[in-house]
Amino acid sequence: MNSLLHSSTVLRLRVPPSFDAWRELARVALKQSIGPDQIDFEDNTVAAVGDLFEAAQDHTRSLLDVPRESTFAPHVPRSFLDRALLAGYHRDSARWNLLYRLLWRLQTDRNLLRVEVDQDVGALLRLVQQVKRDEHKMHAFVRFRRIEDERGEQFVSWYEPAHRILPLAAPFFAERFATMRWSILTPDGTVFWEPDTPGLQFGPALDRSHAPSEDELETLWKSYYGSIFNPARLNPSVMRSHMPVKYWGNLPEVELLPSLLQRAESRVATMVSKQSAKPTAAPYVPEVHSLPILAQALPSCRGCDLYEHATQVVPGRGPITAEVVLVGEQPGDQEDRRGEPFVGPAGGVLRKAMAEVGIAAESVYMTNAVKHFKFVQRGKLRLHQNPRQSEIMACRPWLLAELDALKPKLVVCLGASASRSLLGGTFALMRDRGKLLETSFAKHVMATIHPSAVLRGRDEESREALYRTLRDDLLVAHKFIRAA
Ligand code: URA
């Protein structure tokens, strides 16, 4: 089923479409110092699901013939593995070569993944995004139909994902429909769930004819969809891109659209009148949380009014692999002009304190609780104004999305606004600063004073004391990360 062809310069490996299979081969090739230009991974899509791993092991054992005593331990950072695993589900046949090239380069350039502008890194991030988006779509668009067989009720769905994401997407359904007997059929394979049998069972592809096409469940779906339909989100081109026509065949509720569309206008008016006046960025934050995607969407945010006067929105900045995220309040005058966080006087204090405790500024991700500069104009001066609680809360979805994209080991809130955003309105900064707290959005969070508080100290002595406070808290953060 699998073959390995040697040409004079390039070793061709046919890989079953599974990350584990590729990983096994890549590890061996790396140990043998086979460079990316000497190897070509090809997809072997005819391998049956159950054969995948064995096939890869066969390759490894018989063809690459690794000396067992090899002590070379490849450098494979977690951040690479996590992304490579997702990219492995992509249908692009060039993905395995891309992953191997990155793996190879990582051996000599450990910071490679931080360079998002690198062509290979950019390509990896794009694959990851496309796979995540496809997973999200599958969760949204799979529709089960009920059938009866000799064992009773069963729910079956036919679905055609853009990528080979069945193993990635299936656990979601096991959690959602834990008590039902169900199966999902795709052109790449099938997954079955039996409530009394542990684990999901994967099998070979079955064609669409095995899935029933109509049943009474459709009525249920339709009434459910009619009740959750949000007319304010109605935007035909967005609808087409989120729900490409190819999915429509699986969606019984599509039949409802004409009547829902007719009623949409009056329902929007009712919704608007019922809506509370609370501003929020939530509708502007993309569902896919990756830094490049968030940065692209950020300028169109109209979640509160602050965008009206600011020069520009100021996104967070720092490597995607950052273990520490520093959250300030909002961009200041210089940040607003330059479009980067912490490049003004407060940033100077912060960077000095970080350097003194040993935190490399370029290793951390810096962002703000509020992404636009809020100020009052006094002649030529633009005077900083504290954001309101409602503005902090409006902007919070952006911050949470950034944290979700980065998954840092530690978040440091600088000052009261960042603390209010992430730790709640009752958090007492001066009492609880410097303490490591656990939260749902980041495993560890701590708060300290804002560097601008140092600049505002009433005299030299108090400025020094405030600076020491900031520096001591950053030292706690640094020690925690080093020990983690
Ligand atoms: N103060 C902040 O809180 N953030 C910045 O980016 C600059 C100053």
Side-chain angles (χ1 to χ4, degrees), residues 352-361 363 475 478 482:
K352 178 167 180 277
M354 283 199 293
E356 281 182 17
V357 301
I359 301 177
S363 73
L475 186 59
H478 183 51
R482 276 219 311 227

Side-chain angles (χ1 to χ4, degrees), residues 252-268:
E253 61 269 28
V254 165
E255 274 177 34
L256 282 182
L257 283 179
S259 70
L260 289 171
L261 296 186
Q262 266 179 4
R263 301 200 318 255
E265 217 174 298
S266 63
R267 285 186 62 188
V268 171

Side-chain angles (χ1 to χ4, degrees), residues 328-332 335 340-343 346-347 367-368 450:
E329 179 190 75
Q330 59 165 328
E335 288 81 11
E340 283 180 47
F342 287 108
V343 289
T367 190
N368 284 297
H450 194 283

Side-chain angles (χ1 to χ4, degrees), residues 222-238:
K222 284 180 195 166
S223 61
Y224 169 68
Y225 186 68
S227 68
I228 61 158
F229 175 71
N230 180 349
R233 295 233 175 115
L234 204 56
N235 175 340
S237 65
V238 172

Side-chain angles (χ1 to χ4, degrees), residues 389-409:
Q389 179 68 6
S390 60
E391 289 156 344
I392 294 173
M393 294 319 282
C395 216
R396 189 169 186 261
W398 287 114
L399 181 55
L400 294 185
E402 284 173 293
L403 296 181
D404 188 36
L406 287 152
K407 305 216 178 352
K409 288 193 178 144

Side-chain angles (χ1 to χ4, degrees), residues 12-212:
R12 289 192 202 292
L13 290 174
R14 300 191 66 205
V15 192
S18 111
F19 178 72
D20 284 339
W22 171 81
R23 181 154 92 155
E24 187 77 3
L25 292 168
R27 188 168 37 213
V28 176
L30 200 59
K31 283 189 175 189
Q32 305 250 42
S33 296
I34 299 174
D37 49 347
Q38 300 168 293
I39 197 163
D40 185 17
F41 293 94
E42 290 176 354
D43 264 329
N44 177 6
T45 52
V46 295
V49 176
D51 297 338
L52 298 182
F53 198 65
E54 279 156 42
Q57 285 179 328
D58 279 354
H59 265 331
T60 314
R61 266 196 306 271
S62 61
L63 301 167
L64 289 172
D65 196 17
V66 204
R68 276 182 185 276
E69 65 280 9
S70 168
T71 52
F72 168 66
H75 171 66
V76 188
R78 181 89 246 157
S79 52
F80 171 74
L81 262 189
D82 291 347
R83 292 182 179 111
L85 177 64
L86 287 171
Y89 294 111
H90 204 283
R91 232 177 259 282
D92 184 346
S93 58
R95 70 198 181 289
W96 300 134
N97 284 341
L98 170 72
L99 293 181
Y100 191 68
R101 211 160 46 242
L102 281 163
L103 188 58
W104 180 266
R105 293 178 60 198
L106 273 166
Q107 305 312 305
T108 49
D109 180 359
R110 298 196 165 202
N111 291 327
L112 175 61
L113 291 185
R114 296 181 182 180
V115 190
E116 290 188 14
V117 290
D118 180 275
Q119 261 197 350
D120 287 341
V121 175
L124 173 66
L125 295 178
R126 272 192 299 283
L127 294 187
V128 168
Q129 281 323 313
Q130 287 162 7
V131 164
K132 281 194 187 168
R133 199 171 307 139
D134 202 32
E135 181 196 12
H136 180 78
K137 280 190 174 148
M138 181 160 176
H139 291 164
F141 297 138
V142 158
R143 293 290 182 269
F144 291 100
R145 296 168 196 272
R146 191 169 73 97
I147 56 167
E148 292 276 341
D149 62 16
E150 65 287 355
R151 296 177 47 215
E153 192 175 58
Q154 190 190 173
F155 296 86
V156 184
S157 169
W158 167 258
Y159 187 80
E160 295 175 61
H163 303 290
R164 293 191 187 89
I165 55 163
L166 185 62
L168 177 68
F172 165 89
F173 298 100
E175 215 170 277
R176 257 301 152 83
F177 305 117
T179 57
M180 289 160 45
R181 191 155 66 93
W182 57 260
S183 44
I184 302 174
L185 282 48
T186 77
D188 308 307
T190 304
V191 62
F192 305 97
W193 174 259
E194 298 268 357
D196 303 325
T197 313
L200 288 156
Q201 300 165 58
F202 290 90
L206 295 174
D207 68 42
R208 190 181 192 140
S209 65
H210 288 83

